[in-house]
Amino acid sequence: MDSYSTLLGAFFFTLVLLLGIATLTLVSKWKVYAKLGMPGWYSLVPIFSDRKLYENVRGNKENKTLVMAYLIISLLTIAQLATIIIFLNNLVQIFV
């Protein structure tokens, strides 16, 4: 019986921790969208939010093909880290 209660406690601790991280992520993404002058609810729609954020970061300088290329590249697991670093660098340059 004691091992089940320990397992249940670990499960609930993990659940609360993950819900906290998810909430923090959603709130911070909502704030970024609001700071960019976009509606915050954009952050709740998965692919649409990334598309709108990429369009805003690139400033519509390039055509839509580049935006779609960013989205396709970001779906690949190997290139995802490099894409995120480049994108976050561009995002920081907007706020600086």
Side-chain angles (χ1 to χ4, degrees):
M1 283 296 230
D2 189 37
S3 64
Y4 291 122
S5 62
T6 304
L7 185 62
L8 189 62
F11 170 74
F12 282 119
F13 175 76
T14 305
L15 182 66
V16 168
L17 183 68
L18 290 177
L19 285 176
I21 290 171
T23 303
L24 179 68
T25 302
L26 284 175
V27 168
S28 60
K29 232 178 151 182
W30 189 289
K31 296 265 185 188
V32 167
Y33 278 87
K35 197 168 185 178
L36 287 171
M38 300 166 69
W41 64 266
Y42 280 2
S43 64
L44 301 176
V45 184
I47 295 177
F48 179 72
S49 66
D50 291 339
R51 181 172 182 254
K52 288 296 185 181
L53 196 58
Y54 283 142
E55 284 177 359
N56 200 312
V57 167
R58 298 304 297 172
N60 291 329
K61 295 176 192 169
E62 286 85 18
N63 57 13
K64 303 289 183 190
T65 307
L66 184 61
V67 173
M68 293 310 293
Y70 266 128
L71 290 174
I72 291 170
I73 289 173
S74 67
L75 292 176
L76 300 173
T77 56
I78 297 173
Q80 187 173 8
L81 182 62
T83 303
I84 289 172
I85 290 171
I86 292 168
F87 171 71
L88 289 177
N89 185 30
N90 291 339
L91 183 63
V92 167
Q93 289 176 358
I94 289 176
F95 292 123
V96 173

